[in-house]
Amino acid sequence: MASLPPTLDFAKTEEEICAKWEKEQTFKTQDKLSLERGDEEYTFYDGPPFATGLPHYGHILAGTIKDVVTRHACMRHLHVSRRAGWDCHGLPVEYEIDQKLNITHRDQVLEMGVDKYNETCRGIVTRYTKEWERTVTRLGRWIDFENDYKTMDPTFMESVWWVFKQLFEKGLVYQGYKVMPFSTACGTPLSNFEAGLNYKDVRDPALVVSFPMLNEDGSGGSGSATEEVSFVAWTTTPWTLPSNLALCVHPTMTYIQILDIKTQKRYILAQSRLSQIYPIMNNKKKWKPAMAAELYTLEKTFVGSDLVGKKYKPLFDYFADPATTPECKNYFCILSDNYVTDDAGTGIVHQAPAFGEDDYRVCLAHDVIYKGQEIPCPVD
């Protein structure tokens, strides 16, 4: 301990170590010795970053973890090829060019020429490679920037197709179905990362919609106001209502049937969400429990599981005709799932499996739809 200086500049020490590694070519020497010994190859798959932007905390943390894994493999006398790579595909590159050239529609790309558009994209894919190299080197990560690769290289793309062919020939490729974010401008699904590039907080219209309950024999839904009972659902995506196939409740949440004094109509919703249809209940200064008798009469109480299987009359009959939609016998019923909450809405969630990830999962689990089915989706 006596040999240590009274104060230690960690940042300067790190820079000195990096300079020593650079001068002595430590990384290259280690790699060369590993090849000379004939060390067994250790394959490390590293998802390359986009070079259209600068490295951030997420890249730095992940890169440090990757460096630990590959260094540990080398210490076990394994040879690890560590080449820097750049992801040149996907919407982030196109998004940059669209912003630069003020492109807002596909027709503008066609007018410009796909070849010229692609060439413009190629011009920016390595825009920040030097900044990446400087940052990664400063962090002490050992990776080869001189022999880097780009996903737009024909050799790389051909290697991916070769791998896919091997998987296909071994019967490991199958068709799956998943609800994905979709770009109407690009006409393509988006990854979560791509969708986040243009993420915005916006005010969406919210609707409360009533769905008349049917009797056991399928009748009802058109009786008098004093007889009809309707489920009350809430949605922030009213444009998906034509695609409604089911309603979902929470299996253990408490639901009530009420008679609305003003309209003389009966509704079913979560007991804790009465304020959704009677907003005055949210006003703590004005609301008094005694006022409830002026708004509604409580008639029945259920738990969510009691409602499962109940049928209702759909808002639209586009997919209710067995002649054109044979699968409709499974549609327009009450399902249950724990994802339903009572922090907003009515405790009854409108299900449009063509649009919602949870909607798709819940409808699939309750056999409302099945994998591979052409799910009703009237939006083009």
Side-chain angles (χ1 to χ4, degrees):
M1 296 296 289
S3 61
L4 288 175
T7 58
L8 186 62
D9 188 335
F10 287 100
K12 184 179 180 181
T13 302
E14 289 175 356
E15 291 172 350
E16 291 173 351
I17 292 172
C18 287
K20 177 180 172 64
W21 285 344
E22 177 65 26
K23 180 181 179 180
E24 298 178 357
Q25 297 288 286
T26 310
F27 171 45
K28 290 183 178 180
T29 302
Q30 182 202 55
D31 193 57
K32 179 182 177 182
L33 292 173
S34 180
L35 288 171
E36 290 176 353
R37 289 194 304 265
D39 291 345
E40 181 183 348
E41 189 72 26
Y42 178 87
T43 303
F44 183 77
Y45 294 103
D46 182 5
F50 290 100
T52 52
L54 296 170
H56 55 66
Y57 171 79
H59 297 120
I60 292 170
L61 177 61
T64 301
I65 296 172
K66 293 172 182 178
D67 194 45
V68 170
V69 173
T70 52
R71 282 178 184 252
H72 180 256
C74 290
M75 292 170 66
R76 293 189 293 120
H77 297 289
L78 297 171
H79 178 257
V80 187
S81 296
R82 285 167 280 181
R83 294 172 60 197
W86 310 108
D87 191 343
C88 309
H89 291 84
L91 290 178
V93 176
E94 296 177 17
Y95 180 74
E96 290 281 334
I97 295 302
D98 290 348
Q99 296 294 303
K100 178 181 178 181
L101 302 180
N102 197 28
I103 292 175
T104 58
H105 198 273
R106 179 174 177 269
D107 290 343
Q108 292 174 272
V109 176
L110 297 177
E111 183 180 346
M112 175 183 179
V114 175
D115 55 341
K116 292 181 180 179
Y117 182 81
N118 285 344
E119 193 58 41
T120 307
C121 289
R122 289 190 190 96
I124 70 162
V125 293
T126 58
R127 182 169 55 188
Y128 292 117
T129 53
K130 289 301 178 183
E131 286 82 353
W132 272 86
E133 182 175 356
R134 184 161 50 249
T135 301
V136 172
T137 302
R138 175 63 183 81
L139 288 166
R141 183 180 179 186
W142 283 0
I143 191 165
D144 186 358
F145 282 97
E146 293 179 7
N147 299 299
D148 61 353
Y149 69 90
K150 304 173 185 65
T151 61
M152 66 181 180
D153 295 338
T155 51
F156 178 87
M157 291 187 284
E158 288 168 1
S159 70
V160 174
W161 280 112
W162 179 86
V163 170
F164 186 81
K165 180 174 181 287
Q166 307 307 307
L167 294 173
F168 180 80
E169 291 179 345
K170 293 178 180 181
L172 299 175
V173 177
Y174 65 94
Q175 185 176 14
Y177 299 88
K178 185 178 181 180
V179 176
M180 298 285 291
F182 189 83
S183 169
T184 53
C186 300
T188 179
L190 302 173
S191 67
N192 288 334
F193 171 75
E194 290 168 340
L197 287 175
N198 196 32
Y199 185 86
K200 298 175 183 176
D201 286 323
V202 298
R203 292 183 66 86
D204 276 329
L207 291 183
V208 174
V209 188
S210 62
F211 296 82
M213 182 168 60
L214 299 178
N215 298 323
E216 296 290 334
D217 60 0
S219 63
S222 59
S224 67
T226 55
E227 298 173 350
E228 187 176 280
V229 180
S230 297
F231 297 103
V232 181
W234 179 75
T235 178
T236 56
T237 56
W239 49 273
T240 65
L241 286 170
S243 303
N244 170 266
L245 297 188
L247 299 175
C248 190
V249 299
H250 192 286
T252 61
M253 197 180 293
T254 301
Y255 291 82
I256 56 176
Q257 177 179 311
I258 63 169
L259 172 66
D260 180 67
I261 301 298
K262 184 177 180 180
T263 64
Q264 287 297 294
K265 291 185 178 181
R266 290 179 166 83
Y267 299 112
I268 294 176
L269 72 163
Q271 184 176 33
S272 58
R273 294 305 305 162
L274 275 166
S275 59
Q276 186 65 47
I277 58 175
Y278 300 118
I280 193 174
M281 297 177 73
N282 291 316
N283 191 323
K284 295 182 179 179
K285 292 183 178 180
K286 293 184 178 181
W287 175 251
K288 300 292 185 293
M291 297 168 61
E294 302 173 13
L295 300 176
Y296 65 88
T297 301
L298 177 62
E299 295 187 333
K300 295 180 182 179
T301 303
F302 325 84
V303 291
S305 57
D306 294 336
L307 301 172
V308 174
K310 300 288 186 183
K311 304 285 283 186
Y312 64 87
K313 182 181 179 181
L315 287 178
F316 306 95
D317 60 3
Y318 305 133
F319 309 111
D321 185 358
T324 56
T325 313
E327 303 88 356
C328 71
K329 65 180 185 298
N330 300 324
Y331 299 167
F332 315 124
C333 60
I334 306 298
L335 317 176
S336 70
D337 192 86
N338 290 330
Y339 94 96
V340 178
T341 64
D342 63 353
D343 57 356
T346 63
I348 301 178
V349 183
H350 142 67
Q351 302 289 288
F355 297 97
E357 192 170 2
D358 278 319
D359 304 39
Y360 181 84
R361 174 183 60 80
V362 172
C363 287
L364 195 65
H366 287 80
D367 298 322
V368 174
I369 59 173
Y370 57 87
K371 287 185 178 180
Q373 174 189 344
E374 193 72 26
I375 302 173
C377 177
V379 176
D380 185 356

